[in-house]
Amino acid sequence: MDNNTEHKNTAFLGSGWAFPVSFSVDNHQLSLSANETNINESINVILNTRKGERTLEAEFGSGIHQFMFRKIDNTLKGEIIETIKYALLRYEPRIVVQDVTVAATDVLNGKIEVLITYMYSKTNTRHNYVFPFYLKEGTNLDRKK
């Protein structure tokens, strides 16, 4: 498959500014992302954005920050799963979420990992995305000894 055919087959995945926003050192152009990378960056932006954080789109985001400092139990996991499914359904039309699972990977530090299994809505290609979420503020910082 040549490059033009591949681009036509994946063009629906989209492209846009890379996140975090950055510029190329070589030519000082805005860095862009495309295809799978663009979708994963979009998921990350949706999940990390607090509701009300965007001035003209107050409802944009996932709202998972409301779960900070809560006890990690099955109720919390269920609430996180439903919140993420709804946010991705509403704000990322290029994918269909197949499954969301939550695993407590570092209970002491309040870290959970969310595994999102999704398919591209136009091709039914299956992909996964792992999102680390910290229930305690500041636990995502590296501790240098």
Side-chain angles (χ1 to χ4, degrees):
M1 184 179 332
D2 68 11
N3 204 17
N4 280 341
T5 305
E6 183 177 335
H7 176 70
K8 288 176 186 174
N9 290 339
T10 60
F12 75 92
L13 295 176
S15 64
W17 291 14
F19 190 83
V21 177
S22 60
F23 293 89
S24 168
V25 175
D26 298 336
N27 60 12
H28 306 291
Q29 297 291 315
L30 184 66
S31 296
L32 301 175
S33 68
N35 304 327
E36 295 87 357
T37 302
N38 187 259
I39 287 177
N40 286 335
E41 288 175 353
S42 175
I43 292 170
N44 197 39
V45 168
I46 292 165
L47 297 182
N48 278 307
T49 302
R50 298 172 190 259
K51 292 206 180 257
E53 190 173 349
R54 285 198 172 175
T55 305
L56 299 177
E57 274 191 89
E59 290 300 309
F60 181 85
S62 67
I64 61 171
H65 295 87
Q66 67 183 317
F67 303 121
M68 293 187 80
F69 305 110
R70 296 252 317 261
K71 178 183 174 190
I72 301 172
D73 59 14
N74 287 336
T75 301
L76 175 68
K77 290 178 182 180
E79 290 176 24
I80 289 172
I81 288 168
E82 290 307 310
T83 299
I84 288 173
K85 283 181 177 179
Y86 177 75
L88 294 177
L89 174 68
R90 185 168 182 190
Y91 297 113
E92 186 45 82
R94 298 174 290 180
I95 65 171
V96 175
V97 175
Q98 299 293 300
D99 190 33
V100 177
T101 56
V102 175
T105 57
D106 188 356
V107 177
L108 183 61
N109 289 312
K111 178 184 176 184
I112 60 173
E113 283 189 347
V114 179
L115 174 63
I116 302 164
T117 304
Y118 63 90
M119 295 174 68
Y120 297 141
S121 56
K122 292 198 179 197
T123 64
N124 292 332
T125 307
R126 189 176 172 147
H127 294 271
N128 295 312
Y129 181 79
V130 177
F131 178 74
F133 181 63
Y134 295 87
L135 294 169
K136 296 180 182 177
E137 284 187 305
T139 57
N140 59 338
L141 303 174
D142 287 333
R143 293 185 180 118
K144 307 276 181 180
K145 293 183 180 180

